[in-house]
Amino acid sequence: MLLCFRSCILGLGCLSLFATGVMGEVDESTLPVKVVPAFPDLEWPEWLTGVDTGKPRDPRPIEITGAGDGSDRLFVATQYGTIHSFENNPHVTNMSLFLDIQERVMPFNPNTNEEGFLGLTFHPRFQENGEFFVYYTAAPTEEKPHLSRVSRFRTKANNPDEGDPDSEEVLLEIDEPYWNHNGGTVVFGPDGYLYIVVGDGGAFNDPHMNGQNLHTLLGKILRIDVDQKDKDLSYAIPKDNPFIGEPKFARGEIWAYGLRNPWRLSFDRETETGWAGDVGQNEWEEIDIIERGGNYGWNLREGMHSFGPGGVEPNENLIEPIWEYHHDVGKSITGGTVYRGKKIPALAGGYLYADYVSGQLWALWYDPEKKEVIANRSIRDKGAPVISCGEDDEGEVYFTGEREIFTFAPTE
Ligand SMILES: [Ca+2]
Ligand SMILES: [Ca+2]
């Protein structure tokens, strides 16, 4: 979500290039699909939006997801640190408060807009165990001005429709050197393990080289087992993680590295492939297929290009993105998910993604055998900022703006 206007203001890299595919013909025609409000009558509580104080603020819905519990509810989390649930019905009007941990979360600051509550996911057996997992940057202390935290919560024993704020169990805390690049996705993979996306720490250029340093969790995708505990840990490290048993040079939690600030990781519910949108710095936004132990190049490469004084050409140790687009097109990728819903056949199998700054939305089709992008088709060429993307239990896809939740409909 880092906004990268500065490089363009400085004239460092605004070439007249368009998104480039790897090879072959790429269909870039516009899709017969439009963006529509998903729940036009749904109201945010006034205590959250501040209407009652006369100073309206956007709720910044940072995550939307089903719980996989058969209840057909949607859960929406705000960057302020609240989670709300509502009936998955286009005519729904009210949401219920599920959890409020605002006092534990870094207060939202529009000038440093990457901190706060950033991620929510439900345990694959949520219906039985009531467990859900969150990622937030913590309210500052003198000792820890910037801290990322991943925690487990449970629903209340006497009310499974409400999360219990007193149930927090901290799984992982990561010291953050700077306010930006905090990652924030928590998502269960098809293997039942929790994947955690951690940004490179922040500032510019990855000044501490965290992306390439396997001693730190910064600039990584982690994979942990939340159902077991290793000695001295609140979780277990799966035995088939790529760097387990190599404590001298790597943290066992690491699944993939060389990442800058992936803003959203998701797993295709059909093929089980992991997809990430990694936010670029000066010129290039990228889409990555995440593989076990993969090095995604940052800060040696940005997109499909050498980066900085230590930059390198493509080589067998680095995994290139499957797609990139230039900052003439957009400035901060919002990675989405592969569409496996039923309502919009035109989107079937396409990876839906957006740009936070330009508001453009696309669906991209990739041939994993040929390792080629086949199509990158636009749904909307500009609009309001797109913050996040999520699926309901049926695989229908929603995106969030700073206030609204939207979905898709055929144009004819
Ligand atoms: Ca940071
Ligand atoms: Ca990369």
Side-chain angles (χ1 to χ4, degrees):
M1 227 180 9
L2 174 67
L3 310 188
C4 292
F5 293 119
R6 289 181 184 82
S7 62
C8 287
I9 291 166
L10 296 171
L12 294 178
C14 288
L15 309 172
S16 297
L17 298 175
F18 292 94
T20 49
V22 179
M23 59 191 87
E25 287 282 306
V26 177
D27 176 2
E28 302 211 49
S29 60
T30 300
L31 275 162
V33 173
K34 64 184 174 185
V35 170
V36 295
F39 308 100
D41 304 322
L42 185 63
E43 303 247 11
W44 293 98
E46 290 196 352
W47 57 263
L48 176 66
T49 55
V51 172
D52 58 342
T53 66
K55 282 193 258 172
R57 65 177 187 181
D58 289 320
R60 295 188 66 85
I62 202 96
E63 184 89 71
I64 183 162
T65 181
D69 62 350
S71 67
D72 202 24
R73 288 176 294 175
L74 276 166
F75 291 78
V76 62
T78 71
Q79 199 167 350
Y80 296 98
T82 60
I83 306 174
H84 312 259
S85 70
F86 57 93
E87 185 191 345
N88 187 3
N89 172 340
H91 305 296
V92 67
T93 55
N94 294 315
M95 49 176 79
S96 309
L97 184 65
F98 182 73
L99 188 76
D100 183 348
I101 54 164
Q102 289 183 82
E103 80 287 352
R104 296 173 213 181
V105 172
M106 177 69 86
F108 179 70
N109 177 336
N111 299 316
T112 54
N113 68 0
E114 296 180 29
E115 292 190 284
F117 189 101
L118 299 176
L120 162 69
T121 193
F122 290 84
H123 193 285
R125 295 191 308 278
F126 171 67
Q127 195 175 5
E128 296 152 45
N129 63 24
E131 294 183 8
F132 57 100
F133 297 80
V134 307
Y135 187 126
Y136 62 92
T137 67
T141 62
E142 210 164 296
E143 211 183 21
K144 307 239 177 212
H146 303 282
L147 179 73
S148 285
R149 181 178 290 151
V150 178
S151 293
R152 180 196 333 253
F153 283 84
R154 293 181 172 82
T155 50
K156 289 181 176 168
N158 60 356
N159 183 358
D161 293 333
E162 280 186 30
D164 181 357
D166 295 331
S167 68
E168 180 167 17
E169 177 192 354
V170 174
L171 298 185
L172 197 59
E173 287 186 331
I174 302 169
D175 284 318
E176 289 278 348
Y178 309 102
W179 64 270
N180 55 352
H181 302 190
N182 307 313
T185 303
V186 280
V187 61
F188 281 90
D191 49 19
Y193 294 129
L194 184 67
Y195 289 75
I196 302 164
V197 176
V198 187
D200 70 5
F204 288 90
N205 306 321
D206 189 7
H208 309 293
M209 299 284 289
N210 290 323
Q212 295 296 320
N213 179 356
L214 291 168
H215 288 296
T216 172
L217 301 182
L218 296 166
K220 309 297 182 312
I221 292 175
L222 315 179
R223 178 185 189 242
I224 64 171
D225 180 351
V226 298
D227 298 324
Q228 318 282 336
K229 284 181 184 165
D230 288 343
K231 190 167 171 281
D232 303 328
L233 290 177
S234 319
Y235 52 86
I237 299 177
K239 298 286 177 276
D240 58 345
N241 268 16
F243 303 112
I244 197 165
E246 305 285 358
K248 282 201 186 120
F249 79 93
R251 292 285 302 260
E253 292 91 339
I254 296 169
W255 181 253
Y257 68 111
L259 296 151
R260 184 174 175 275
N261 190 34
W263 184 242
R264 296 328 197 195
L265 165 70
S266 69
F267 290 93
D268 181 339
R269 56 172 69 195
E270 192 171 300
T271 67
E272 304 189 340
T273 303
W275 291 73
D278 197 6
V279 176
Q281 176 167 305
N282 294 336
E283 291 190 78
W284 301 99
E285 301 300 308
E286 68 179 63
I287 297 174
D288 295 302
I289 301 280
I290 299 301
E291 295 173 14
R292 177 182 181 276
N295 180 351
Y296 289 84
W298 180 250
N299 65 354
L300 310 173
R301 293 179 66 70
E302 182 189 33
M304 300 176 196
H305 309 266
S306 176
F307 179 86
V312 297
E313 291 309 304
N315 67 62
E316 60 190 15
N317 300 319
L318 305 178
I319 300 177
E320 290 280 270
I322 61 153
W323 187 254
E324 64 176 3
Y325 63 88
H326 190 260
H327 278 197
D328 278 1
V329 176
K331 301 230 172 6
S332 187
I333 191 167
T334 297
T337 191
V338 173
Y339 183 78
R340 300 294 179 189
K342 302 265 184 316
K343 289 183 181 167
I344 318 288
L347 296 179
Y351 175 69
L352 292 164
Y353 71 102
D355 188 81
Y356 175 76
V357 177
S358 70
Q360 189 162 358
L361 282 138
W362 301 262
L364 176 142
W365 281 264
Y366 179 66
D367 182 337
E369 313 256 296
K370 291 186 183 158
K371 299 195 183 304
E372 279 180 25
V373 169
I374 302 157
N376 182 54
R377 303 184 65 186
S378 182
I379 296 170
R380 176 176 88 175
D381 63 4
K382 61 176 185 293
V386 180
I387 295 184
S388 193
C389 171
E391 286 173 279
D392 66 18
D393 293 346
E394 303 300 315
E396 297 304 330
V397 173
Y398 306 86
F399 276 90
T400 61
E402 289 167 305
R403 172 172 289 266
E404 71 277 16
I405 300 165
F406 54 87
T407 188
F408 304 99
T411 49
E412 65 245 3

